[in-house]
Amino acid sequence: MLKEGEVICVTGASGAIGSWLVRLLLERGYTIHATVKDLNDDKETEHLKCLEGAETRLLLYQMELLDYDSISVAIDGCSGVFHLACPCIVDQVLDPQKQLLDPAIKGTLNVLTAAKEKGVRRVVVTSSISAITPNPNWPDDLVRDEDCWTDVDYCKQNGLWYPVSKTEAEKAAWEFAREKGLDVVVVNPGTVMGPNIPPTLNASMLMLLRLLQGCNETYKDFFMGSVHFKDVALAHIMVYENPSAAGRHLCVEAISHYSDFVAKLAELYPEYNVPRMPKDTQPGLLRTKNGAKKLMELGLEFISMEQIIKDAVESLKSKGLISC
């Protein structure tokens, strides 16, 4: 639980999940060292400065994942770290090593090394369902859970470099934790949407926008279910504050198929050109309502898919990205 005056660091604080996490942490009374890529970029900083409590309990730091000194400065004086900063490039990956792998893997190790040296008591690492799937060798009669790992060789053969980066970064984090004795817990969110705090959209919100515009991409390798921004932020806080939380934590409101999400979107918003999808877009992915049972056991009550979609669409409307 929160200790009075506790200071924590949030890397990647200006992103969609990071902004929600900072908001909820401020509401709980934490003082936050929030890292951004560029302190002079208003698109990264202004929405954070506007959050309630930011004036007195939010300090912004410019950080580069491959610059250890910038990380060390941001973490100094913190008792906990939430490591969210990571490149998210799904399309047009021209140089996987430079664009994704080095920042994800070396950046994570830089953060963990600084956390260890500064005496941080717990680090929460934001991984992804992209470190759980795709895995074509997973048994068809088993629900994918925290024991499932993305098949890196399969991804490399198919040019799926984002899952490679998330998987290798998470594995590097676990190896570091074992070798150095650092307390690390991991959250693996699914497709994250809802009210978008930053001025820019994350990859999941862009996916939703393209669906409303009629795009018929299937995302069969990247979808296990949707989850609300708020629930992902709450999941991070729960695993940080609960001493019994350990290991990986799949974070989706339910394990579902991409076609389930698209069908619900079309049902709720028939006025848009949402494409029709085959019902079984992901053979071998078993549906279940309690895929995130570890987080449910910690007390997280997930917002429904329907409400996730409604909140996300209203956010797109408020930003003028789709017609009202």
Side-chain angles (χ1 to χ4, degrees):
M1 294 299 292
L2 168 65
K3 299 176 182 177
E4 186 175 353
E6 185 167 357
V7 182
I8 51 89
C9 177
V10 178
T11 74
S14 62
I17 299 174
S19 299
W20 263 96
L21 179 56
V22 170
R23 174 180 170 178
L24 296 189
L25 287 169
L26 287 171
E27 289 178 1
R28 294 172 86 88
Y30 286 93
T31 296
I32 303 169
H33 290 189
T35 79
V36 299
K37 289 183 179 180
D38 186 354
L39 286 173
N40 296 314
D41 186 347
D42 288 348
K43 290 182 179 180
E44 286 200 66
T45 61
E46 288 307 306
H47 63 283
L48 295 175
K49 293 177 182 178
C50 291
L51 296 173
E52 187 174 351
E55 187 174 345
T56 56
R57 288 183 286 110
L58 179 68
L59 295 89
L60 297 177
Y61 292 79
Q62 186 163 307
M63 189 196 85
E64 166 56 48
L65 284 168
L66 299 181
D67 178 1
Y68 179 80
D69 289 341
S70 70
I71 297 170
S72 180
V73 169
I75 292 177
D76 189 35
C78 295
S79 59
V81 173
F82 294 87
H83 178 44
L84 286 75
C86 187
C88 181
I89 306 170
V90 177
D91 304 317
Q92 298 180 332
V93 180
L94 303 177
D95 187 339
Q97 196 70 42
K98 182 178 180 179
Q99 291 176 269
L100 286 169
L101 300 178
D102 283 348
I105 302 165
K106 294 180 180 179
T108 295
L109 292 175
N110 280 340
V111 170
L112 296 181
T113 300
K116 179 66 177 178
E117 291 185 353
K118 298 296 182 179
V120 166
R121 67 176 177 87
R122 172 165 281 193
V123 179
V124 180
V125 173
T126 309
S127 186
S128 170
I129 56 132
S130 291
I132 292 176
T133 191
N135 184 335
N137 298 315
W138 186 258
D140 287 347
D141 59 345
L142 287 182
V143 172
R144 292 175 194 257
D145 59 13
E146 288 86 355
D147 291 330
C148 185
W149 282 90
T150 287
D151 186 327
V152 170
D153 290 335
Y154 168 84
C155 289
K156 288 180 178 179
Q157 291 166 9
N158 288 276
L160 303 174
W161 291 106
Y162 178 69
V164 173
S165 70
K166 296 303 290 186
T167 305
E168 297 288 15
E170 187 186 336
K171 287 184 175 180
W174 286 124
E175 183 177 356
F176 183 97
R178 285 190 296 269
E179 291 182 354
K180 305 296 184 181
L182 183 64
D183 185 358
V184 171
V185 288
V186 169
V187 178
N188 300 79
T191 301
V192 193
M193 289 176 279
N196 202 75
I197 296 176
T200 55
L201 300 181
N202 70 332
S204 298
M205 290 291 283
L206 285 170
M207 178 201 80
L208 175 65
L209 178 61
R210 289 197 289 263
L211 271 174
L212 292 166
Q213 294 170 339
C215 178
N216 61 358
E217 295 173 272
T218 61
Y219 293 93
K220 65 183 178 66
D221 287 319
F222 295 101
F223 195 89
M224 274 183 69
S226 56
V227 62
H228 199 282
F229 286 129
K230 184 177 182 180
D231 285 345
V232 177
L234 284 172
H236 281 71
I237 295 171
M238 283 180 170
V239 301
Y240 176 71
E241 293 184 342
N242 193 321
S244 67
R248 315 174 86 196
H249 296 78
L250 177 60
C251 188
V252 289
E253 66 85 33
I255 295 179
S256 56
H257 282 217
Y258 185 63
S259 59
D260 302 329
F261 179 84
V262 176
K264 178 58 69 173
L265 179 64
E267 173 192 327
L268 293 172
Y269 295 96
E271 65 271 28
Y272 293 99
N273 188 32
V274 179
R276 293 186 177 184
M277 292 278 167
K279 184 173 179 57
D280 191 5
T281 47
Q282 292 152 287
L285 178 63
L286 295 182
R287 297 171 170 91
T288 181
K289 288 298 293 181
N290 67 340
K293 54 184 177 294
K294 286 183 69 174
L295 287 172
M296 293 175 178
E297 289 168 356
L298 290 176
L300 185 53
E301 297 179 4
F302 283 91
I303 296 167
S304 69
M305 180 196 292
E306 180 171 328
Q307 193 60 51
I308 293 167
I309 291 173
K310 288 180 178 179
D311 287 353
V313 170
E314 289 308 310
S315 184
L316 292 176
K317 289 180 178 180
S318 70
K319 293 180 179 295
L321 296 173
I322 55 174
S323 59
C324 297

